[in-house]
Amino acid sequence: MGDTAKVAAGRRKRHWALGCGGAIAIVALVLTGAFIALDRPRPHGVAGDEAELLADSMLGALRSDAWERTGAIRWTFGPSGTRHLWDRERDWARVRAGDLEVLVDLDDPSRGIATRGGVRLAGSEARRAIRDGWAQWINDSFWLIAPYKARDRGTTRSIVRVEGRSALLVEYASGGVTPGDAYLWLLDDDGTPRAWRMWVSVLPVGGVETSWEGWITLPTGARVATRHEAGPFTLELSDVAGAAHLSELEPGPDPFAALAAEIEP
């Protein structure tokens, strides 16, 4: 791996646990009544080699090696229609919602640019927009790539038996927007996630289950899910596309040129 690739990979690995706040809040509104009777206590798993092997199986099924070679990805987050572009090589994100656009350095979310209707925001308005854009990216990206984050710094993995099968419990002790959350991955025989159960701070009930389905394979070979269902609620991720480099995904001028001018010498 070249020096540039090593630096990019290192920056990607510095992302800590991510939370599901915004979309989970939507789920909560829709499902609290339906799921209140199904409240499940947070399970206690068994850590060790079996858990690590199951994590290996999940990551292998999704081609985590190909994910590391995916240098750029974009998608639209269904519930809000927010449009995302992520330059993974520089770890920068573009978040568009309506006429608001935020460019943010994910390694240091205090560094960013916000514009509304093409006019640059300043002062507290800009800081708030950049912070909110970063938080939106945290939420929306987790629904896209959570399985790849099973070994993020601050995570622990353990085995829980569910209906006679081994499931992978991933707990996030720190980082992100909602540290302390836990997700129990229910896997198919080949290791592909079919659903998760969530114990998260923004839900009043524990163990709410949503599906992971609509799997697609990016040109790099990495696999991502594009649909999540829980009772009457469906969360769709659309316009999902990825490439090895940003220039392949977004030909033409650098969409992060303004941010680069701000933070690069």
Side-chain angles (χ1 to χ4, degrees), residues 17-240:
L18 303 181
C20 291
I24 292 292
I26 298 172
V27 175
L29 289 173
V30 175
L31 299 180
T32 295
F35 279 88
I36 197 68
L38 301 179
D39 186 32
R40 300 179 176 100
R42 183 164 170 166
H44 298 284
V46 177
D49 290 345
E50 185 183 353
E52 298 308 320
L53 287 172
L54 193 58
D56 286 342
S57 176
M58 180 174 74
L59 292 170
L62 302 185
R63 297 287 309 279
S64 61
D65 59 331
W67 174 246
E68 286 304 314
R69 296 192 299 270
T70 304
I73 189 167
R74 68 175 177 234
W75 74 99
T76 298
F77 188 71
S80 64
T82 304
R83 303 178 304 283
H84 295 276
L85 175 65
W86 181 12
D87 179 357
R88 299 188 69 227
E89 294 179 290
R90 291 180 291 189
D91 232 359
W92 295 348
R94 184 184 70 193
V95 182
R96 287 176 168 172
D99 65 348
L100 177 67
E101 176 179 288
V102 171
L103 304 178
V104 60
D105 180 351
L106 298 173
D107 281 331
D108 182 359
S110 67
R111 302 195 301 185
I113 295 172
T115 59
R116 188 181 298 279
V119 177
R120 183 164 177 173
L121 305 182
S124 60
E125 185 180 15
R127 290 191 294 273
R128 182 170 58 253
I130 293 166
R131 183 186 65 244
D132 291 348
W134 172 79
Q136 187 72 51
W137 179 89
I138 289 284
N139 173 77
D140 296 0
S141 66
F142 200 66
W143 284 96
L144 182 72
I145 62 162
Y148 291 115
K149 304 186 69 59
R151 285 202 171 104
D152 271 16
R153 185 168 51 163
T155 61
T156 56
R157 290 152 300 284
S158 57
I159 290 290
V160 174
R161 299 294 289 178
V162 177
E163 298 175 355
R165 296 173 60 92
S166 292
L168 181 67
L169 180 66
V170 179
E171 298 175 274
Y172 293 83
S174 58
V177 176
T178 54
D181 292 349
Y183 304 87
L184 182 65
W185 291 100
L186 309 179
L187 308 176
D188 287 336
D189 290 340
D190 68 350
T192 300
R194 60 177 177 82
W196 66 5
R197 294 177 183 173
M198 302 173 286
W199 288 265
V200 295
S201 59
V202 296
L203 273 182
V205 294
V208 170
E209 183 173 318
T210 69
S211 69
W212 280 68
E213 53 188 296
W215 290 95
I216 64 171
T217 301
L218 302 176
T220 58
R223 299 175 64 209
V224 293
T226 62
R227 188 170 64 256
H228 308 283
E229 295 186 355
F233 176 80
T234 299
L235 188 159
E236 297 273 1
L237 305 176
S238 60
D239 305 318
V240 181

